[in-house]
Amino acid sequence: MMLKVINPNTTASMTAKIGACARAVAGPGVTVHATSPSRGPAAIESHADAALAVPGVLEEIATGETAGYDGYVIACFGDPGLQAARELARGPVVGIAEAAMRTASYLGRGFSVVTTLSRTVGQARDLTHQYGVAASCLGIHACEIPVLGLETPQARTSILQACKEALANDGSDAIVLGCAGMADLCHELSTELGVSVIDGVTAATVTVETLIRLSLTTGKLGEFAFPDRDRVEALLAETPLK
Amino acid sequence: MMLKVINPNTTASMTAKIGACARAVAGPGVTVHATSPSRGPAAIESHADAALAVPGVLEEIATGETAGYDGYVIACFGDPGLQAARELARGPVVGIAEAAMRTASYLGRGFSVVTTLSRTVGQARDLTHQYGVAASCLGIHACEIPVLGLETPQARTSILQACKEALANDGSDAIVLGCAGMADLCHELSTELGVSVIDGVTAATVTVETLIRLSLTTGKLGEFAFPDRDRVEALLAETPLK
Amino acid sequence: MMLKVINPNTTASMTAKIGACARAVAGPGVTVHATSPSRGPAAIESHADAALAVPGVLEEIATGETAGYDGYVIACFGDPGLQAARELARGPVVGIAEAAMRTASYLGRGFSVVTTLSRTVGQARDLTHQYGVAASCLGIHACEIPVLGLETPQARTSILQACKEALANDGSDAIVLGCAGMADLCHELSTELGVSVIDGVTAATVTVETLIRLSLTTGKLGEFAFPDRDRVEALLAETPLK
Amino acid sequence: MMLKVINPNTTASMTAKIGACARAVAGPGVTVHATSPSRGPAAIESHADAALAVPGVLEEIATGETAGYDGYVIACFGDPGLQAARELARGPVVGIAEAAMRTASYLGRGFSVVTTLSRTVGQARDLTHQYGVAASCLGIHACEIPVLGLETPQARTSILQACKEALANDGSDAIVLGCAGMADLCHELSTELGVSVIDGVTAATVTVETLIRLSLTTGKLGEFAFPDRDRVEALLAETPLK
Amino acid sequence: MMLKVINPNTTASMTAKIGACARAVAGPGVTVHATSPSRGPAAIESHADAALAVPGVLEEIATGETAGYDGYVIACFGDPGLQAARELARGPVVGIAEAAMRTASYLGRGFSVVTTLSRTVGQARDLTHQYGVAASCLGIHACEIPVLGLETPQARTSILQACKEALANDGSDAIVLGCAGMADLCHELSTELGVSVIDGVTAATVTVETLIRLSLTTGKLGEFAFPDRDRVEALLAETPLK
Amino acid sequence: MMLKVINPNTTASMTAKIGACARAVAGPGVTVHATSPSRGPAAIESHADAALAVPGVLEEIATGETAGYDGYVIACFGDPGLQAARELARGPVVGIAEAAMRTASYLGRGFSVVTTLSRTVGQARDLTHQYGVAASCLGIHACEIPVLGLETPQARTSILQACKEALANDGSDAIVLGCAGMADLCHELSTELGVSVIDGVTAATVTVETLIRLSLTTGKLGEFAFPDRDRVEALLAETPLK
């Protein structure tokens, strides 16, 4: 089984971290390839960043289809391009926000999201409605750390603090990390907090693996049928987005 | 007052039609410029089409900001790129789906949408939830005419038929046309049906005009503050999407 | 185009203010006539006040129909009598609460309402559900000023303070003023706050103007068909409500 | 215990029927007085009818308060004036739509409403949302009989037929009768259909009786505190609505 | 009329208190028999407690059917076994949570629940959604007193304090007591707080009494038809739950 | 890793089938033990059946905890006892309805459920609300085959027919099988229908396996903390439910 984990931003160190986390949880016989578009935003922190990352994500799906991947993960908490990716791929495509939040739904009454910048909170709230977890999402908390600033020790302290406050205020049963760049903090935070901490990269990787194991994939008879192939391929082939 | 009406697809005849309809309803002293991205999909009929149209829409916003436009209309019924456009523009930005559906909400208990292909119905349903009109939207009906096939006489017959069935089945008070390419049919259909027929192009044009008249614009203190300028400008300037 | 803006209470100074605000935003060629019922409550601050104002509103619609008005605004934030008015009028009827709240929906993620007395908050909350803006309405704040006390300098200070607290607590993108008597404060507040401030009187005036410009009106084939004419006319003609 | 059952329309035969049905279910020691306003619509079949019936309902509450009634029923399926009535009365006020629909909620998964004219269906649907029974209300069916035509044998046949179709199509566990004028059909229909049939007049009568027995009444500390007394009393005393 | 009020826990003193409260409100001619299963949890404070109380509740229904009871109350605020009980009984079955919360809905905009332990709050919140009162339930407050500790004077002080805080914070019109063991505090609290206080035991008792008076009972044609009789009877007869 | 898959009914052949299906999808190193309570209903087709199966399910959890299982599946589509089981177990517990329906949410716009008896449809609908998939569940279809009649060839034909009708009517992207007894039909149906068919037994098995792989489990700090141990253990040990 071959999985492609797509980091929609172009920061190589983050792609490497995502790949390591995904490989750490993949089952035996599962090959995980982490990748990111050659061009696009270095970080995704606004609606414009997300929108301009999507063509790159779709190119990665398109090249993945040629290469024969069995499934895909979109490794940015806004799940950019998820519906279009499902049109283009034969196998299942899972976003890390949907996987993290649905996985958290198995662990009790509700969860809190801890994320990067407060300007992304509205988008995360939208996703809770889209994925049917609005009632389970008991709070979304920004720690005001930019995506590319997550590696510093102060960042870890801020995130830990935000998680503690979230648990205390929301009465939640688990924490969902709201950025792929936090994937490596998962176990450490869980140990310190005494509750489950869900990272979307690992949650989505095992989710897509199990969908494939169960022979399940996107319905291709209606809304997610392959779109006008000439039109899409031409756009993707001739104009790789910066 | 200068308004830019952006047709997110690249079909010039459709841009011309959209411009004519918008100008027909704009108030005195309002200049309407209809435009479309230089490259992108010729029609928007799938999630992939919509996603790949967005960078072009944002380029039109960016060049519009340089040129000093007061407001923008995004003239495709999926409102592609609307939230990102609101980040980039100083003045208001209105999508034709939101304008059509909110305008219809003033006319009674509920409305029916008549649109092109059934594969777009799910997306339209999503928008009714996003815009708070799910309870008012009493039905969404596809007449299975592709976007670029709307000009034929048979198309008009099919659309009229779909409108009649929608009114009969849904008990609705108005019809919303679910594609910018139907803008020119509005009056004719209204006359034949005996109910209000709302076209999003004209609805959005007068809506953005009145927002400007009332000195109202997007809140720029939080989620819709201008995003990382260097990042976005570089992406838009250097890589015009095909 | 002739518009009738109905102040449902009988306080003449407020009718004059409402008329001035509406005329200030009406387009060229639009005549705005502000009026109020000859008898009824001097202010609307309870469910009973609102209920007892409705017959007067409907009489104004009925005389307006005889006089040939093209459309109507109901200028009280509870939108009293709106559905009955839509039955009686040929042209469109718009309430200031629905216009203000739907207009605010074009400006970002959400808005806060700043209103008069806390006993009206429940009613305003009801309207957010009725108009599909419950998710966009991030807070409703009363400043405990009675409707007829809005003219004092202290009132303006209190309202400004309530707006500032609303923005800080709710993270909203715009302010909606929850009383027709606040219409004249709109620009001043917007300047001081740095966000859009929406007054329903002006929002409803331009909304009904644009509905007429687009030839849109209430659906008259079902729920909003003209009611039993003899019954309604007799009630309205013979018993003007005090 | 003294209960006032207010028929909001002025048709005396209907008031008599309502009174008889209410008295038939009232407990020992409960005096039921059925009344209707001296002036107002003869039947309530539109939003305008309902709006113009409200002042009369409130006058009945006001005179009831002077006379010392312990509680009130508003006996029209639209529950006209219910919130204002709660402001004016010390004791509990119950509408027949809310009582019928909440009572039906104790009887299984869901109920169907069978009502008079299809133009009232939208209003009934609104009430299901307002009263929290939207998920339990599995269908609303109009049999197109005007309120004052309910007494004919054909009417009974049509209503029985509509009930049967409702049960078959909706899979509901009970029928709610959507008009006070159907109160006398309750037992007969129940016997023929083999399911519970709920009439709001009787349901509201026993509900208000039990609220009083439990010493429960409207909260008077906030939204439903008595309104500006001079203003309301003057309006009610001096201008009895026709 | 014979009513059986079932205390799902096995604490005899609580059963006695529940019986006394129910009898105090039952109408003339109504015999109330309070009972509890011979074996089961002494108090219900967790999902496991509730689940293990259900077989005992169903045995009480089964023996009640043999004895010819006309209706039943399930006197634990989680309404354990309510749907199964409705299958087994011919007459109506009412839970105290549903009765308390629906009864409170007649008294204004909303109510607050004051309950025992915070671990039960999630369950109470679930019930507000199930019973359609989520919008009316303005807060759920635990005073951290275990079910069997409600008799102490300190408990009464804590409950009174929790009610006061609930009214102040939630702006509610009434208090719902979230445990059958609080039934005897109802009048005293109401007097001290100046608002209606609803106890589910009394609310459910009068509700089931009135359902019977109106000849209403559970729909038996579909979901709540009597289940496979041999299977259920065998399970109940041969294995009385401890 | 040791998983216990609990069939809540006592039919051994069904337990064997469930075990075989679960083992077929479990990853390497995962031991699956399928079991059912020694006593309880032979099939679960009513609320009473489900309620009376719960004590047996909880006993299986309790003995599982002693034996050191890492996680549990509750293999009945009503997920009986799920919340109580989460209190009792250290490791994760997953119901087959929640797993099937959340898994289906990754595959497109929506799914249809095909189930056994129509009297269970209401319960399934309830679960879609509880699990946040109400908008994705486009239809629930009963084929009126009792649980213990699923093995016949006619049953397979009926189920296939129901699936075809569901796809045609609902426009869904996947089928969810609404009974553990259908687990073995999954691949065959998928092949014939050309869409993904989700069986809850396999979906829940891989879900609980991946939760354990990610070190995720139920939050134990609040609602799902272990309940009063003496009380629960005594009830479970001394009174095994028939």
Side-chain angles (χ1 to χ4, degrees), chain D residues 3 5 18-28 30 32 73 183 186-187 199-210 213, chain E residues 1 209-216:
Chain D
L3 304 184
V5 177
I18 286 169
C21 290
R23 273 186 293 272
V25 297
V30 179
V32 171
V73 168
C186 197
H187 279 293
D199 152 56
V201 174
T202 50
T205 299
V206 296
T207 297
V208 76
E209 175 190 334
T210 60
R213 217 199 285 169
Chain E
M1 190 190 305
E209 175 190 335
T210 61
L211 291 176
I212 295 166
R213 218 198 286 167
L214 298 179
S215 305
L216 300 175

Side-chain angles (χ1 to χ4, degrees), chain D residues 2 22 30 37 54 57 60 62 65 69 79 82 90 93 103 106 111 136 138 151 179-181 185 189 210 224 230 237:
Chain D
M2 264 200 336
V30 179
V54 168
V57 169
E60 288 294 334
E65 288 297 286
Y69 281 94
D79 294 350
L82 179 57
R90 285 159 308 200
V93 186
T103 297
Y106 291 106
F111 59 85
S136 307
L138 306 177
E151 297 297 328
C179 179
L185 305 177
L189 288 170
T210 60
F224 294 96
D230 291 345

Side-chain angles (χ1 to χ4, degrees), chain B residues 22-155:
Chain B
R23 272 185 294 273
V25 297
V30 179
T31 302
V32 171
H33 180 217
T35 181
S36 71
S38 54
R39 285 171 280 180
I44 298 181
E45 298 172 325
S46 66
H47 293 293
D49 287 337
L52 294 170
V54 170
V57 169
L58 299 186
E59 286 168 359
E60 289 294 333
I61 299 283
T63 58
E65 288 296 285
T66 306
Y69 279 94
D70 297 294
Y72 303 88
V73 167
I74 299 181
C76 166
F77 202 73
D79 294 351
L82 180 58
Q83 291 187 311
R86 283 195 176 131
E87 287 178 337
L88 299 185
R90 285 159 309 200
V93 185
V94 173
I96 67 169
E98 62 169 350
M101 297 198 286
R102 287 199 184 114
T103 297
S105 302
Y106 292 106
L107 305 178
R109 170 79 40 196
F111 59 85
S112 300
V113 176
V114 171
T115 189
T116 54
L117 300 179
S118 58
R119 71 180 295 159
T120 70
V121 168
Q123 162 76 359
R125 183 67 66 195
D126 268 356
L127 293 180
T128 67
H129 288 281
Q130 214 167 304
Y131 298 146
V133 297
S136 307
C137 178
L138 306 176
I140 304 178
H141 306 263
C143 43
E144 304 303 353
I145 301 167
V147 172
L148 301 182
L150 288 166
E151 298 297 327
T152 67
Q154 301 95 301

Side-chain angles (χ1 to χ4, degrees), chain C residues 39-49 51-52 54-55 58 81 83-84 87-88 118-123 126 130 148 222-228 231-232 234-236 238-242, chain D residues 39-49 51-52 54-55 58 81 83-84 87-88 118-123 126 130 148 222-228 231-232 234-236 238-242:
Chain C
R39 286 172 281 181
I44 298 180
E45 297 171 325
S46 66
H47 293 294
D49 287 336
L52 294 170
V54 169
L58 300 185
Q83 291 187 312
E87 287 178 337
L88 299 185
S118 57
R119 73 179 292 158
T120 69
V121 168
Q123 162 76 358
D126 269 356
Q130 214 167 305
L148 301 181
E223 181 175 344
F224 295 96
F226 202 90
D228 186 302
R231 192 150 74 208
V232 172
L235 285 167
L236 290 175
E238 297 175 35
T239 314
L241 186 82
K242 172 168 181 173
Chain D
R39 285 171 282 179
I44 298 181
E45 297 172 326
S46 66
H47 294 293
D49 288 336
L52 294 169
V54 168
L58 299 186
Q83 291 187 311
E87 288 178 336
L88 298 185
S118 57
R119 73 178 294 158
T120 69
V121 169
Q123 162 75 0
D126 268 357
Q130 215 167 303
L148 301 182
E223 180 175 345
F224 294 96
F226 202 88
D228 186 302
R231 193 151 74 210
V232 172
L235 285 167
L236 290 175
E238 296 175 35
T239 313
L241 187 81
K242 173 171 179 171

Side-chain angles (χ1 to χ4, degrees), chain C residues 14-50:
Chain C
M14 201 161 142
T15 308
K17 176 164 64 176
I18 287 168
C21 290
R23 273 186 292 273
V25 298
V30 178
T31 302
V32 171
H33 180 216
T35 181
S36 70
S38 54
R39 286 172 281 181
I44 298 180
E45 297 171 325
S46 66
H47 293 294
D49 287 336

